Amino acid sequence: DVKVTQSSRYLVKRTGEKVFLECVQDMDHENMFWYRQDPGLGLRLIYFSYDVKMKEKGDIPEGYSVSREKKERFSLILESASTNQTSMYLCASSFGLGGYTFGSGTRLTVV
Amino acid sequence: QQQVKQSPQSLIVQKGGISIINCAYENTAFDYFPWYQQFPGKGPALLIAIRPDVSEKKEGRFTISFNKSAKQFSLHIMDSQPGDSATYFCAASMGSGGGADGLTFGKGTHLIIQP
């Protein structure tokens, strides 16, 4: 089974902190994605990457950046965390027509 | 602008009944329409998917019906069971169909199956 692992299940950070969310997949997938999930809003795409060192903005990239130095690892960075970034963050990977595999999520609270 | 509209937001169905969740899309370039199932504390998991060249796809108790002219697709869960209680998301993507450029999700339906 494809496995997508997000390093933290729960995080609490202070406003203004720089926050790193890490995601690793073990099936050599080309594509990786970061979504945030909020009640009543569904899943919204923040950034995605289709190759090492490549990145593309999704629908809500403001306040976020990403890094993909290795194929298996895709990091989401909150440059200066704010309370409106409190959310569930989901990482996913995919290859071709096989559908997406999601991690279990990181619930981030910014206080 | 929401590109995939999902309804209802929540749904309660008796055990053994049929659960129906509907989605409508706007972008005619979409060519891949998956449904995801999410249990509390877990990430969404692919349930079933369809392409516009077929009108229906069935996998066990789960069926997708697709109406290209109406730009609508729906998920039917036959003989619904309490274990089906979860949040369901429809989604759509274009291009390769595998969604290399990202899936656009509906807002989700919270389904409860009452014993």
Side-chain angles (χ1 to χ4, degrees):
Chain A
D1 279 352
V2 177
K3 201 167 184 180
V4 176
T5 302
Q6 294 184 232
S7 55
S8 304
R9 291 300 304 271
Y10 300 94
L11 275 178
V12 180
K13 296 292 182 181
R14 295 195 179 277
T15 301
E17 276 193 78
K18 191 169 186 176
V19 181
F20 293 85
L21 303 183
E22 306 289 343
C23 175
V24 177
Q25 51 97 359
D26 64 0
M27 283 299 291
D28 202 35
H29 280 181
E30 304 290 335
N31 311 313
M32 296 190 74
F33 309 85
W34 276 105
Y35 286 84
R36 64 177 283 176
Q37 182 176 13
D38 300 288
L41 296 179
L43 284 78
R44 293 179 291 167
L45 182 63
I46 304 171
Y47 267 96
F48 62 99
S49 167
Y50 52 86
D51 201 353
V52 176
K53 296 193 184 295
M54 304 300 291
K55 59 184 179 182
E56 296 286 343
K57 294 180 180 179
D59 298 320
I60 51 165
E62 297 78 18
Y64 303 95
S65 63
V66 290
S67 172
R68 194 167 181 200
E69 296 296 320
K70 294 183 178 181
K71 191 174 185 179
E72 67 270 18
R73 186 179 296 270
F74 192 35
S75 302
L76 179 70
I77 303 157
L78 285 66
E79 298 290 344
S80 178
S82 63
T83 54
N84 63 12
Q85 293 178 309
T86 291
S87 185
M88 170 70 82
Y89 290 88
L90 290 163
C91 174
S93 70
S94 78
F95 175 69
L97 308 181
Y100 286 27
T101 299
F102 281 87
S104 294
T106 295
R107 185 167 294 281
L108 173 67
T109 302
V110 182
V111 297
Chain B
Q1 180 182 1
Q2 183 187 3
Q3 295 192 56
V4 179
K5 293 184 179 180
Q6 182 172 348
S7 62
Q9 190 172 0
S10 60
L11 180 63
I12 300 174
V13 175
Q14 296 296 315
K15 179 183 175 182
I18 303 173
S19 304
I20 302 175
I21 304 171
N22 300 300
C23 282
Y25 63 96
E26 299 165 4
N27 189 342
T28 55
F30 286 147
D31 63 357
Y32 176 68
F33 303 90
W35 284 89
Y36 282 79
Q37 179 188 55
Q38 185 180 30
F39 293 107
K42 301 288 188 181
L46 179 64
L47 187 63
I48 187 172
I50 198 168
R51 299 193 177 281
D53 53 343
V54 296
S55 60
E56 186 175 282
K57 183 174 182 180
K58 184 176 181 179
E59 291 184 2
R61 296 185 293 109
F62 300 91
T63 300
I64 299 180
S65 297
F66 185 81
N67 186 329
K68 188 174 182 179
S69 61
K71 294 188 287 185
Q72 295 176 347
F73 58 110
S74 60
L75 176 70
H76 295 234
I77 306 174
M78 311 300 288
D79 186 27
S80 299
Q81 299 296 312
D84 297 330
S85 298
T87 299
Y88 292 81
F89 293 95
C90 63
S93 72
M94 56 184 157
S96 67
D101 53 350
L103 286 167
T104 298
F105 284 86
K107 293 186 176 182
T109 296
H110 183 51
L111 174 65
I112 297 173
I113 308 299
Q114 289 187 332

